[in-house]
Amino acid sequence: MLRCSGDRVVIIGGGIAGALLAKTLQNHADVVLIDPKEYFEIPWANLRAKVDPAAVERTVIPHSDYLTQAKVVVASAVGIDDSVVLTSIGRAVAYDFLVVATGRMCTRPEKRSERLEMFQRDKELIAAAQSVLIIGGGPIGVELAAEIVMSSPEKRVTIVHGAPRLLTVMGARASAKALEWLRSKNVTVLLDQTIDLAAVSPDATEFTTSAGETVAADCHFVCTGRPVASGWLKESFLRDHVDENGHLAVDDHLRVGGLKNVFAIGDITDVPEAKQGHLAQRQAMVVSRNLRLLVKGVAREEKLHRYKPATKAGITVTLGRRDALSELPFMTLIGHIPGAVKPRDLFISRTRRMMGLKSKLHNNVMPRAM
């Protein structure tokens, strides 16, 4: 993999941004996707999949389903220089163009079958539990609580959140509406309190908060924020472009530090906008258009596409199958109306179509071997 033909694009990270970029470029360049998993996962459907196993098969998609003309290296990137990526399996992959799309730190098994088993175990845990503790009251924690109480209203659900209000990525009005909705479903919400995760064992059933309150729960889920997956870059030739929060500095074309052949997309960038999946997809499409131009030999700056950050992106938090909370630039809504706007399948069908997939069953076409 050390020989390049001038059009090799190496993409590090097979999340929502990296996977879409690889899919859209595979017929225009020599694409290599480096990802520690053999599958792509639709992130906004994860929580539904914990309570609805029917959704799982459609949301955990083998890379081989949509990458019919690309190569896949199932490994982590552990180092890079100005022409080569070094992987965790000892393989060096040369590149002409590089895209860093590693997102946030996340532990996932390599095999799709093991990931499906994780969802099944979570479903069984929730089904068997009379009480559930959710640590973290951001969008993920609130959505998980809603999924549980709407599918099993008899369960006792508690959210412990370290901030004075829920959903701090949204405004105070949205936070208040979310709190009112959860309490109307008998969810206990403890604000301004934390739980020492280092002291919590996987099978713990009793938890003490920082305020001294005791919470009993048959199972628990950690839904706190995750750091940006950029630690491995701090010893690389990109180290000077990593800011104090772990983000890569990019220009209007999403190039890193002004380098002509290195790009970044998704949560790892310092683009001043909300870190949301649909915006990461927008970034991927801009880089896809730029790389198609560069592979063709169009190097003039004025021809490259620019990415315009979303100034005020609307945020929607799903509250079970029917309800949702939407914060728009001009109003905040909760209930059936915003719930009707967001598809009940959580954009699973639309995302699959974007990836060129129509059936929930994966085929046996494999990416070219490395």
Side-chain angles (χ1 to χ4, degrees), residues 33-344:
L33 176 68
I34 299 175
D35 189 54
K37 318 177 306 302
E38 65 179 22
Y39 54 88
F40 155 70
E41 194 168 325
I42 302 176
W44 42 80
N46 281 356
L47 304 179
R48 175 69 50 80
K50 288 183 185 295
V51 297
D52 179 9
V56 175
E57 288 283 339
R58 301 175 66 220
T59 63
V60 183
I61 304 165
H63 290 313
S64 58
D65 276 23
Y66 64 94
L67 293 180
T68 58
Q69 302 299 319
K71 306 180 185 76
V72 176
V73 177
V74 181
S76 298
V78 295
I80 51 175
D81 62 22
D82 60 1
S83 62
V84 173
V85 180
L86 182 63
T87 69
S88 57
I89 58 175
R91 181 171 293 170
V93 183
Y95 66 85
D96 297 299
F97 301 95
L98 177 69
V99 184
V100 182
T102 46
R104 295 184 178 275
M105 296 290 293
C106 190
T107 302
R108 294 281 187 266
E110 175 186 321
K111 300 294 184 182
R112 178 177 184 266
S113 59
E114 294 173 0
R115 181 60 173 143
L116 297 180
E117 289 171 4
M118 286 180 66
F119 280 117
Q120 183 62 28
R121 287 197 298 271
D122 286 346
K123 176 187 177 297
E124 292 170 358
L125 273 176
I126 294 170
Q130 294 182 349
S131 55
V132 180
L133 169 64
I134 296 171
I135 302 171
I140 295 175
V142 169
E143 288 191 348
L144 179 57
E147 290 286 349
I148 294 171
V149 297
M150 292 303 283
S151 63
S152 303
E154 76 283 359
K155 296 187 187 296
R156 300 190 306 275
V157 177
T158 301
I159 297 176
V160 175
H161 187 51
R165 62 182 180 88
L166 298 168
L167 301 172
T168 53
V169 297
M170 304 174 79
R173 187 175 182 186
S175 298
K177 285 181 176 291
L179 180 61
E180 181 182 7
W181 187 93
L182 288 167
R183 286 178 171 167
S184 76
K185 309 300 180 188
N186 297 316
V187 175
T188 300
V189 180
L190 304 179
L191 298 174
D192 262 337
Q193 299 185 48
T194 59
I195 289 177
D196 182 5
L197 296 176
V200 174
S201 65
D203 57 350
T205 57
E206 189 170 279
F207 309 81
T208 302
T209 74
S210 55
E213 290 197 51
T214 300
V215 179
D218 296 325
C219 64
H220 72 281
F221 295 92
V222 178
C223 300
T224 53
R226 292 177 284 115
V228 178
S230 61
W232 64 283
L233 292 172
K234 293 181 180 178
E235 300 300 324
S236 75
F237 85 117
L238 297 180
R239 59 185 174 275
D240 293 337
H241 308 299
V242 180
D243 68 17
E244 63 276 10
N245 297 313
H247 295 106
L248 278 171
V250 294
D251 63 14
D252 291 346
H253 305 299
L254 298 176
R255 294 177 303 195
V256 176
L259 297 170
K260 301 299 183 183
N261 67 331
V262 181
F263 294 79
I265 53 177
D267 283 8
I268 199 168
T269 71
D270 68 344
V271 175
E273 65 182 7
K275 302 303 182 184
Q276 295 179 286
H278 71 98
L279 298 178
Q281 289 176 319
R282 278 185 54 209
Q283 292 180 22
M285 295 309 298
V286 168
V287 171
S288 178
R289 290 193 290 269
N290 284 338
L291 284 170
R292 280 184 243 179
L293 289 172
L294 292 169
V295 165
K296 290 178 181 178
V298 178
R300 289 192 303 175
E301 194 85 4
E302 63 271 18
K303 293 289 186 180
L304 296 181
H305 298 270
R306 297 179 182 273
Y307 182 76
K308 184 178 181 181
T311 53
K312 180 63 176 177
I315 299 177
T316 297
V317 173
T318 301
L319 301 172
R321 292 184 177 275
R322 297 182 60 190
D323 290 359
L325 169 65
S326 290
E327 183 180 63
L328 305 172
F330 50 89
M331 68 174 65
T332 300
L333 298 172
I334 194 168
H336 293 348
I337 293 176
V341 172
K342 192 167 186 176
R344 293 194 178 181

Side-chain angles (χ1 to χ4, degrees), residues 5-21:
S5 57
D7 67 343
R8 177 174 291 166
V9 177
V10 173
I11 301 166
I12 304 175
I16 191 65
L20 179 60
L21 178 61

